[in-house]
Amino acid sequence: MSTLHGSCLCGSVTYRIDGRPLDFVLCHCGRCRKVTGSSFAANLIARPEDVSWTAGEADILRWDLPTARSFAASTCRVCGTPVPHVTRNGQFMIVPAGTLDSTPDTKPARQIFTASKAAWCIDVADLPSEP
């Protein structure tokens, strides 16, 4: 697999992933819905050593949910875009798939925390499409 590149909306924070991601998941937990403002989070899971910042590391704000054992979020301090962050135990890097500028050669492999799925979350294939 080739190197993947990603960035925030304003371009202040950029990163690269060297090496194949370990997983690609859609998370339906309430925390992920809150932090993304969407029906689920689409996240690549990578090894921390495979992710490197190419610009703007100093522009990253990290927030750890105090009531959770491991939930965290990182954003660009300039535009607020979610950006990759390492898990508290240091074992994994959570990469918001929507921040990728490259197309990975993998698709989401599974959905997690589906018991928490929003009641209004539907299969988008059922919706009309516009170009």
Side-chain angles (χ1 to χ4, degrees), residues 13 35 48 53 56-66 68-78 80-96:
V13 176
V35 82
W53 305 107
E57 187 173 5
D59 287 327
I60 297 171
L61 296 174
R62 181 185 171 105
W63 181 75
D64 291 293
L65 181 62
R69 183 176 52 84
S70 66
F71 191 86
S74 290
T75 58
C76 168
R77 77 172 64 239
V78 179
T81 300
V83 295
H85 68 275
V86 69
T87 57
R88 287 190 203 175
N89 65 14
Q91 293 182 346
F92 304 104
M93 187 70 97
I94 307 301
V95 180

Side-chain angles (χ1 to χ4, degrees), residues 90-120:
Q91 293 182 346
F92 304 104
M93 187 70 97
I94 307 301
V95 180
T99 65
L100 291 171
D101 298 322
S102 306
T103 302
D105 65 357
T106 184
K107 295 192 182 317
R110 58 198 175 100
Q111 298 182 70
I112 59 175
F113 296 105
T114 56
S116 301
K117 190 176 189 177
W120 49 267

Side-chain angles (χ1 to χ4, degrees), residues 1-6 15-19 50 52 54 102-104:
M1 181 164 132
S2 61
T3 299
L4 293 171
H5 297 272
Y15 65 90
R16 62 185 281 160
I17 304 172
D18 294 302
D50 290 346
S52 56
T54 51
S102 306
T103 302

